[in-house]
Amino acid sequence: MAGLFAVIAAVIGAWSLNRQLKHTKQKTEDDAWWEQFEWVTDRIVSSGEEDADKDAKATERLPKSLAYNLMTALSKSARADFQNAAVAGIFEHFFRDAPSLERDGSETSDGPRMDATEAESLRTLLSVLPEDSHSSRTARRALYSYDYEENVQRALRDSFESVHSNFSLADPRADALIESGSCKLLVEVKLSVTGILPLVNTGNRLHELKNQIGASGAVIITRPPALKAHTGKAKELIRDLSIQGVHLVEWDPAEGSRALQQKITAFFPDISS
């Protein structure tokens, strides 16, 4: 019996020690996780300081793609729901501080546009974050807008980048610039145009830019349908913009690059491949 009790005592002692070691290991891992969380947060979230201090700290901010990758790593290494909620919280704050977005998720003309590296990092982060947060929904719209713009630019290159014409991103205030002989055409891409005010703002900006650089005209390319099939005031606005040389072109990637080319050359016959 003494031997049996000794074995039982040894088993209980080993179980207790293993539990204590496991608890200590988990606590160490949690402490390390929160240290990493604080380090990332300090570099990607504004703290509401005075403008001068903000400018000084801006130089320490991480690039967006790296910030998204670090948040993804934190989310994947999180053990508890509240840790995942903390990551979602700093993403909410970080994305709210990002350059302003249009209602369709496309970026405004202020600040740099999303690039392929940033888009891929954001896509990976969204795969591990809750889908129901406001920032997650806005970020997904931004990715839809990025994908649509990529499809448009690919179709424009297929149609206009040749020995007869040149397609480029020569002016940062527009999404693309097509030049063919003496004809110069500005291109703006919007995932959707569902409100009159955004179309007015975009149209006025393109009209002003068109005059500044001596362009022949401009097109706003968007997915159909736009502005409820052009009824009422929207129809009048589109007509007024056309008079100013700014045309609305509705195009879906499923139509193919040839269809986009035909829709643009219907307004600007001098632009040809």
Side-chain angles (χ1 to χ4, degrees):
M1 290 295 294
L4 178 61
F5 286 145
V7 171
I8 294 174
V11 170
I12 294 174
W15 176 81
S16 178
L17 178 60
N18 181 66
R19 184 177 180 182
Q20 182 178 356
L21 289 174
K22 185 176 181 181
H23 174 75
T24 301
K25 181 180 178 182
Q26 289 179 348
K27 185 177 184 305
T28 301
E29 290 176 350
D30 286 344
D31 289 343
W33 190 93
W34 284 112
E35 287 180 6
Q36 294 169 359
F37 176 84
E38 291 175 2
W39 186 90
V40 172
T41 302
D42 285 343
R43 285 159 178 78
I44 67 175
V45 175
S46 62
S47 57
E49 299 144 329
E50 295 298 327
D51 290 342
D53 294 332
K54 284 183 179 181
D55 291 341
K57 291 202 73 174
T59 58
E60 302 176 12
R61 296 269 179 93
L62 301 174
K64 287 183 182 179
S65 57
L66 179 56
Y68 294 146
N69 288 340
L70 289 173
M71 283 187 271
T72 300
L74 283 172
S75 185
K76 287 183 176 180
S77 62
R79 291 193 310 105
D81 290 341
F82 67 87
Q83 289 176 322
N84 280 314
V87 177
I90 63 169
F91 172 68
E92 183 92 14
H93 197 131
F94 176 78
F95 203 74
R96 191 168 59 240
D97 284 351
S100 57
L101 300 171
E102 302 285 6
R103 292 184 63 184
D104 64 356
S106 60
E107 289 179 306
T108 65
S109 57
D110 301 326
R113 295 182 179 275
M114 186 183 299
D115 59 23
T117 302
E118 180 185 335
E120 187 58 33
S121 298
L122 180 56
R123 214 182 301 274
T124 303
L125 174 60
L126 288 174
S127 69
V128 298
L129 288 181
E131 297 183 4
D132 56 354
S133 72
H134 173 73
S135 289
S136 291
R137 291 193 296 270
T138 304
R140 284 185 170 83
R141 287 197 299 271
L143 282 172
Y144 296 152
S145 178
Y146 168 81
D147 291 338
Y148 180 67
E149 184 173 329
E150 285 292 291
N151 282 320
V152 170
Q153 292 190 6
R154 191 176 301 113
L156 290 174
R157 286 190 174 92
D158 290 344
S159 300
F160 298 107
E161 194 172 53
S162 69
V163 295
H164 301 296
S165 58
N166 179 50
F167 168 78
S168 68
L169 301 175
D171 196 305
R173 293 167 293 182
D175 291 324
L177 179 66
I178 303 172
E179 295 182 82
S180 180
S182 60
C183 190
K184 186 183 296 184
L185 179 64
L186 290 164
V187 178
E188 183 78 9
V189 182
K190 295 290 182 184
L191 179 64
S192 62
V193 177
T194 57
I196 290 179
L197 184 59
L199 182 58
V200 168
N201 292 337
T202 301
N204 289 341
R205 179 170 58 82
L206 287 175
H207 179 62
E208 181 180 347
L209 179 58
K210 175 177 73 73
N211 292 337
Q212 288 176 3
I213 68 173
S216 306
V219 292
I220 302 170
I221 302 175
T222 184
R223 292 182 68 110
L227 293 176
K228 297 182 179 179
H230 308 166
T231 59
K233 291 184 179 179
K235 189 173 183 179
E236 295 177 9
L237 172 59
I238 293 170
R239 185 186 65 240
D240 292 342
L241 288 176
S242 295
I243 294 173
Q244 298 176 5
V246 180
H247 301 276
L248 186 66
V249 173
E250 297 180 24
W251 177 78
D252 189 284
E255 298 178 63
S257 57
R258 180 63 178 170
L260 180 59
Q261 181 188 25
Q262 291 173 342
K263 291 180 178 183
I264 292 176
T265 54
F267 294 117
F268 300 96
D270 292 339
I271 295 286
S272 62
S273 56

